[in-house]
């Protein structure tokens, strides 16, 4: 069965620190890759997505992610986090013809001011 | 575009009562998803529809849960009878089937006492 694994469940950083959240998936075919963010008390919002082309994808609020096909990975990065980045981050993969996304279990990011 | 609309935003009910959650997807989207989110279990896909047809309901916890999509602009998730363990935030999301990018509604916070 297809699965998505996020390595870090809870990350605590100070403001201005660099961020990298890991995401690996288990599917060998063509994939569509996503990172969603959920701010406290809110719904999931799209942060960035990869369908094809340049494997380095830029999203909103200074986030970026790199698709490495050989490693089945799609890690999320930000060079300098802010307190307002405190949220839960979900990696998701779409594949096959189902139309549905497989979500990772989420990573909670806490940024200390 | 108004985005995905869910109602009610909050629902408090007593155990044994019937609960109906409503969702209006983004116009033109042909896939609709119902999720449940709790601290203990994270984000769970309950059921999804393509072109108003239920495709996969394997995530529905038990027969107390049912979902319908009578037309392209409306879906309901019903719990009858409700139990305290059903307390959660229920999200509806919609997408174009072929590109997987899901847009989430604001959610319904359900509390069953």
């Amino acid at each position: 069965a297809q699965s998505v694994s996020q390595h870090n469940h809870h990350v605590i950083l100070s403001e201005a620190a660099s961020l990298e959240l890991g995401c690996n998936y288990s599917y060998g075919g063509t994939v569509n890759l996503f990172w969603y963010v959920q701010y406290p008390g809110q719904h999931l919002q799209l942060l960035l997505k990869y369908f094809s082309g340049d494997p380095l994808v830029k999203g909103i609020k200074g986030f970026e992610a790199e698709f490495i096909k050989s490693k089945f990975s799609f890690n999320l990065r930000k060079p300098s986090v802010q307190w307002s980045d405190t949220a839960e981050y979900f990696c998701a993969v779409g594949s096959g013809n189902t139309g549905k996304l497989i979500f990772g279990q989420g990573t909670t990011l806490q940024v200390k001011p | 575009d108004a985005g995905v609309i869910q109602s009610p935003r909050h629902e408090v009910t007593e155990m044994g009562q019937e609960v109906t959650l409503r969702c209006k997807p983004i116009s033109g989207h042909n896939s609709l998803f119902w999720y449940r989110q709790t601290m203990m279990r994270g984000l769970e896909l309950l059921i999804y529809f393509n072109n108003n047809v239920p495709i996969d309901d394997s995530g529905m916890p038990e027969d107390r849960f049912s979902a319908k999509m009578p037309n392209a602009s409306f879906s309901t998730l019903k719990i009858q009878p409700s139990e305290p363990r059903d307390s959660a935030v229920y999200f509806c999301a919609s997408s174009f089937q072929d590109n997987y990018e899901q847009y989430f509604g604001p959610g319904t916070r359900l509390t069953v006492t």
Side-chain angles (χ1 to χ4, degrees), chain A residues 26-86:
Chain A
S26 63
Y27 184 73
T30 301
V31 292
N32 296 333
L33 301 163
F34 303 83
W35 276 97
Y36 282 84
V37 60
Q38 185 177 28
Y39 298 105
Q42 297 189 25
H43 60 284
L44 276 75
Q45 304 170 48
L46 184 67
L47 200 54
L48 49 79
K49 61 188 177 185
Y50 172 81
F51 288 173
S52 64
D54 189 344
L56 185 60
V57 180
K58 303 247 184 238
I60 60 172
K61 303 185 179 184
F63 286 91
E64 65 179 31
E66 185 175 12
F67 170 49
I68 303 179
K69 188 174 182 179
S70 61
K71 295 185 178 180
F72 299 91
S73 70
F74 190 56
N75 292 355
L76 181 71
R77 300 194 293 250
K78 185 171 184 178
S80 176
V81 295
Q82 301 173 319
W83 176 79
S84 58
D85 293 325
T86 294

Side-chain angles (χ1 to χ4, degrees), chain B residues 30-34 47-56 67-69 75-76:
Chain B
N30 59 353
S31 293
L32 183 139
F33 306 81
W34 281 102
I47 184 171
Y48 76 99
F49 298 81
N50 285 344
N51 298 310
N52 313 337
V53 176
I55 302 301
D56 183 355
K68 294 182 180 179
M69 192 164 186
S75 176
T76 59

